[in-house]
Amino acid sequence: RHPAALGKRCSENWAEIFHIVGPQFESVRRTGIPTFNPDGPLPMTRNGFMEETYLSWGLGLIRNPDGSPAGVLNPCMETTGTVLGVRRLNLLRDLASKSSTSQNVLETCQNAAEVFKTDLADIPFGLIYLLREKRNTGEYVFELSAAACLPQQGHPAAPQTIHVVIPTIDSTSSSSSSSPSSSSSSSSSSPSSSSVWPLHDVLLQRRTIEVTVTEAHGSLPSQPWEEKIMTAAMLPIASSSSSSSSHPTTNNNNKTSNNNHNHDDVMGVLIVGVSSRRKLDADYCTFFELIAQQLANGLISARAKENERHRLEALAQIDHAKTLFFSNVSHELRTPLTLIL
């Protein structure tokens, strides 16, 4: 706003927040009592959109030598990064706490979705897809395991299953050799996804992918803000971290990737809405990546618990069968028939 703001009224320069600061200016000018607002929310238009911002600011009366009001001093310091950081750390703490108590994979996903609902300013909605089946043809079948702020059935942005095709080098070469001049053969050997979410980009790039929201996604929740969500982020949930950068990649259909990448460690995909009042910057991406990593750790722990529970159940069945066998043998040894023989 500088230098155009110089010489203008505060009500003109800060029209979007003057309903908050204006009454305090008037109160200080009238009473002379200073005010202070630590980490106060002051959403203002910056970077071309209404942005969620926080400032610690105060007001103090400036007096003339005779004691009459001469003006108002307004020192301020932006604390947006601190406020967002604390809020996001609290969510990660709650997510880790919930994950540690989950007894199975489904409960881990559902608990995560419940935690997402506690921070709608950062996660307007969330979807967790887990890999259900992987076929030799390069087809991956993902199933919706949990949803936050979206119905788990019937919403265009939350399909129950998503089929992703990432042809291997062998399948690509065989299809091209069988019909080298066929256009359909060429299109079938390209990565694809049967959904409004291009999950194949996540598998190929193994990093945060920013997706532009379109009408095909239907009506998406934007609470607590009035503005509509413009973008969403997709992240791989993998047992090993493979992302080398926290900067998002915008989805497009013209990029090239290595189709023979190993995807054995991929357990699922996390899809989260991006706040309409924040840019998907490096800090925001890091926050989402930490969520995906925590989800992966929780899923690994839950699967270990399930395997241990199944092992104990199998041992119990074996022990029961052994006890039953010896019980029957002991009974047979006590019968008169045994004594006669």
Side-chain angles (χ1 to χ4, degrees):
R1 303 176 194 231
H2 179 78
L6 294 175
K8 289 186 178 180
R9 291 177 175 272
C10 181
S11 58
E12 297 178 22
N13 288 327
W14 307 106
E16 65 270 35
I17 62 173
F18 193 71
H19 66 286
I20 301 174
V21 302
Q24 292 197 35
F25 268 94
E26 181 60 27
S27 175
V28 171
R29 189 190 67 82
R30 188 180 66 254
T31 65
I33 301 175
T35 64
F36 179 65
N37 304 270
D39 301 329
L42 291 175
M44 58 185 70
T45 303
R46 301 195 308 189
N47 301 311
F49 64 97
M50 183 68 74
E51 189 173 349
E52 180 188 9
T53 57
Y54 297 87
L55 291 92
S56 290
W57 57 285
L59 298 173
L61 185 64
I62 302 174
R63 297 182 182 273
N64 290 315
D66 60 0
S68 60
V72 176
L73 178 65
N74 176 211
C76 63
M77 179 179 66
E78 183 167 358
T79 59
T80 302
T82 301
V83 173
L84 296 184
V86 170
R87 186 173 72 197
R88 292 167 180 175
L89 281 175
N90 288 337
L91 182 138
L92 291 170
R93 178 202 61 202
D94 295 342
L95 183 60
S97 177
K98 284 285 189 180
S99 297
S100 64
T101 60
S102 300
Q103 298 301 312
N104 55 63
V105 168
L106 183 59
E107 185 180 352
T108 299
C109 296
Q110 292 175 344
N111 285 342
E114 291 300 316
V115 174
F116 292 168
K117 295 177 183 179
T118 64
D119 185 10
L120 299 179
D122 286 314
I123 308 177
F125 72 89
L127 300 169
I128 301 175
Y129 283 90
L130 294 184
L131 180 62
R132 187 184 68 187
E133 184 181 359
K134 177 184 176 183
R135 300 169 183 170
N136 295 330
T137 57
E139 183 178 1
Y140 297 76
V141 181
F142 291 89
E143 186 173 41
L144 181 62
S145 297
C149 301
L150 278 178
Q152 226 172 313
Q153 291 184 349
H155 197 283
Q160 286 296 112
T161 57
I162 299 179
H163 293 257
V164 178
V165 177
I166 302 181
T168 60
I169 292 179
D170 295 337
S171 63
T172 304
S173 59
S174 62
S175 63
S176 59
S177 61
S178 61
S179 53
S181 61
S182 170
S183 59
S184 60
S185 172
S186 174
S187 62
S188 63
S189 62
S190 301
S192 62
S193 175
S194 65
S195 167
V196 292
W197 305 113
L199 300 192
H200 55 279
D201 288 334
V202 180
L203 296 181
L204 291 173
Q205 298 192 41
R206 307 298 294 276
R207 62 193 303 163
T208 304
I209 303 293
E210 187 174 13
V211 180
T212 301
V213 172
T214 65
E215 293 182 358
H217 293 93
S219 177
L220 295 176
S222 59
Q223 69 273 17
W225 317 124
E226 299 176 355
E227 298 82 7
K228 292 183 179 180
I229 291 178
M230 302 302 294
T231 60
M234 305 184 302
L235 302 92
I237 302 173
S239 57
S240 61
S241 176
S242 59
S243 176
S244 59
S245 173
S246 294
H247 294 281
T249 300
T250 303
N251 167 254
N252 63 73
N253 297 324
N254 298 322
K255 56 181 174 291
T256 58
S257 302
N258 180 11
N259 290 0
N260 203 36
H261 199 287
N262 183 15
H263 311 295
D264 290 341
D265 62 338
V266 174
M267 295 183 287
V269 175
L270 171 66
I271 303 174
V272 284
V274 176
S275 171
S276 58
R277 293 195 175 183
R278 296 299 304 174
K279 278 187 175 181
L280 187 59
D281 53 17
D283 290 340
Y284 210 167
C285 281
T286 299
F287 170 60
F288 285 154
E289 289 165 4
L290 289 173
I291 291 177
Q293 182 179 344
Q294 182 59 54
L295 267 174
N297 294 337
L299 291 172
I300 292 173
S301 176
R303 286 177 177 174
K305 291 177 182 178
E306 287 181 340
N307 292 336
E308 179 65 15
R309 189 160 53 249
H310 293 158
R311 187 182 71 85
L312 293 176
E313 291 174 355
L315 289 176
Q317 291 178 357
I318 293 174
D319 186 66
H320 176 71
K322 182 177 66 174
T323 301
L324 184 62
F325 170 76
F326 283 115
S327 175
N328 292 336
V329 170
S330 176
H331 174 72
E332 292 295 335
L333 291 176
R334 293 194 188 99
T335 61
L337 181 62
T338 302
L339 297 177
I340 295 173
L341 292 176

